[in-house]
Structure formats: C-alpha cells, structure tokens
Amino acid sequence: MKTEDIENQDEQKWKSVNQLLSRAGSHLNILEEEIDVEVQHQYMDLLEHLIKSGDFKTLREDAIIHAQDLFDEAVDDERKKTLLILLSMVDDVSIYRSIESFQKQDTPIKPWATIALQQSRMLIQSNLLDESTVFVSTGLGGHDTLLRYFCVYIANEGVTLQPFQWDIVKKETELVVTKSQGEIEQFEHFEKYVTFILLLPIEANLKEIFNSIIDECNTYGNFLSENIIITNVKKLSIEEIEDFLETKSPPKYKSRPF
C-alpha cells in the first residue's frame, strides 16, 4: 500500500474520532495527568479481565469492604491495583474520597490511582446527570477539553538555527495556536530543531495548524523542514530526538494515537 494511501486512511480515522468526540461536547472527560500509555493499557486489560471473570459484582462488593487495604503497607501493590479498579466502578462518594486520598500519596502505583480516580469521578458524574460521558486518555494527558502534544520542528538540511529564527518560530506558533483556542506550555530551542509542548482543542485540525505555522515561518527564509514530529504519547528526550533524526527522515505528523 502506498504511503499516501496509509496517510489518507489515518486522516479519515482521525476525522471520525474527532466527530465522535465533538458530539460528546460537555460530557467529555480528559485525563489531565501524564501517564505512560503502557500503564493505561495494563489498567484497561486488568479491568476487562475482572469484568469477564463472571463474578464482577461480588468482587466489587468485596473491594468495598476492604477499601482501607489501600492504605495498608502490608498489602502488596498488585492487590491494590485490583482494588483501585474495582472501587473505581462503585458509585459512592465516600469510595471516591478514599481513592482520592490514596492518589495524593506518593506510591509506586500512583498512576493507577490517578486513572481510577478519573474513572470514579466520571461514573459519579454520569449517574448524577443521568447522561453518559466519554473518557479520553493519552500519554501526555490534557486540560479541560484540550489535548497535550509534544512537537518537534526540524531545521532544513545544512541550516543551523539562529536566535532570530527561534523567535520567529515561537511567535508564529503562538499566533496560530492562540487563534485555534490552544496554549503553549513549553518551548525549547536547539541548533537543529525546536520543541513545543502545546495544548490544542480535541477537534483541532493538526494538519492545517502545523502546515500554516511551517509555511509562515518559511516566508522568512525557508529554514524549516516540512517534516515534523507530533505525538501525544510522551515527551521525547533529546537523545530520542537526535537518534531519530540521525537514523531516518521523520514523516509528517509522526503520531497522534489515543
């Protein structure tokens, strides 16, 4: 299959997801914290396993009885992970407060507690409003109805970025992102690339936004590559970025998975 065909398929899938989320409107819940995607997968896999066990109701009732085990140092983390998942499916404010208290502690399974707290909050809100909600989680999280993205703009071959070019990139990005109802959280500059952490609306057309930024910057001397890296999975380290640039030419819009 041609690269262009794959990109078109990905774009259609992205549009379909955006349409679904846009219809959710105010019933959209975005996980705000940055949590490793692998941890999120493990959480959902265990939840699915517990639901399919055939006795989920009994397991949940037992978890309510043993909710305080979350704070017992003698109870191992694997048991606490199971408790968190089961308790997150209980529509009870006191249980929500227990999860919240545990989540505030600095423990090895704090990410699990964060996901459980969000799930519990969403369940209670849904039942109070008598309306279903949509839960969106990414590795980088988000804020309100904005998703967080890590972006790398890359200098063209043979170009060493200068301070005035860093300023151009920051200014043009700020103009377009603000116009799109987004925010810049972080900006860093290097000789061969610049990085941003951005918050953008979940329905934002990323292709249009970043094409616009790169095109406008390049009116000042064609110093940026059309190829950029965008991900909402994790913030890449300097080593990861430089290794990537040394081994391959980055495709446009590297990744946007949930």
Side-chain angles (χ1 to χ4, degrees), residues 11 14-15 18 201 203-210 256:
E11 190 165 341
W14 184 251
K15 287 180 180 178
N18 274 348
E203 70 279 5
N205 187 319
L206 300 186
K207 186 173 184 178
E208 288 185 3
I209 287 172
F210 290 104
R256 302 181 294 192

Side-chain angles (χ1 to χ4, degrees), residues 4-46:
E4 292 83 356
D5 294 334
I6 295 173
E7 289 180 351
N8 288 336
Q9 286 184 8
D10 288 344
E11 190 165 341
Q12 288 304 315
K13 290 177 183 177
W14 184 251
K15 287 180 180 178
S16 297
V17 171
N18 274 348
Q19 288 171 0
L20 172 63
L21 297 177
S22 295
R23 287 198 294 270
S26 60
H27 308 310
L28 196 63
N29 281 269
I30 295 178
L31 182 66
E32 298 200 355
E33 290 80 0
E34 296 181 27
I35 296 179
D36 192 303
V37 170
E38 183 59 33
V39 172
Q40 297 183 43
H41 287 167
Q42 292 171 6
Y43 183 102
M44 299 311 295
D45 286 346
L46 182 53

Side-chain angles (χ1 to χ4, degrees), residues 61-127:
E61 290 173 351
D62 182 68
I64 295 172
I65 296 171
H66 294 93
Q68 289 307 304
D69 284 359
L70 287 174
F71 306 93
D72 187 344
E73 294 183 0
V75 177
D76 65 54
D77 287 343
E78 294 306 310
R79 168 60 178 162
K80 290 181 180 180
K81 289 178 181 179
T82 300
L83 275 175
L84 284 167
I85 289 176
L86 293 168
L87 293 173
S88 74
M89 304 302 289
V90 177
D91 181 16
D92 186 298
V93 174
S94 65
I95 294 296
Y96 171 83
R97 294 303 179 194
S98 293
I99 299 173
E100 183 180 44
S101 295
F102 181 71
Q103 191 273 339
K104 290 179 179 178
Q105 297 185 7
D106 186 15
T107 69
I109 60 170
K110 186 179 178 70
W112 285 71
T114 300
I115 300 172
L117 185 64
Q118 180 80 1
Q119 293 272 25
S120 178
R121 181 187 299 123
M122 185 174 66
L123 175 64
I124 291 172
Q125 288 176 347
S126 296
N127 288 334

Side-chain angles (χ1 to χ4, degrees), residues 21 25-33 118 121 125 134-138 140-148 181-183 185 199-203:
L21 297 177
S26 60
H27 308 310
L28 196 63
N29 281 269
I30 295 178
L31 182 66
E32 298 200 355
E33 290 80 0
Q118 180 80 1
R121 181 187 299 123
Q125 288 176 347
V134 176
F135 179 37
V136 178
S137 63
T138 70
L140 285 177
H143 177 67
D144 198 10
T145 59
L146 304 177
L147 289 180
R148 185 174 287 111
Q181 308 303 311
E183 303 172 19
E185 282 193 336
L199 285 167
L200 289 167
I202 200 164
E203 70 279 5

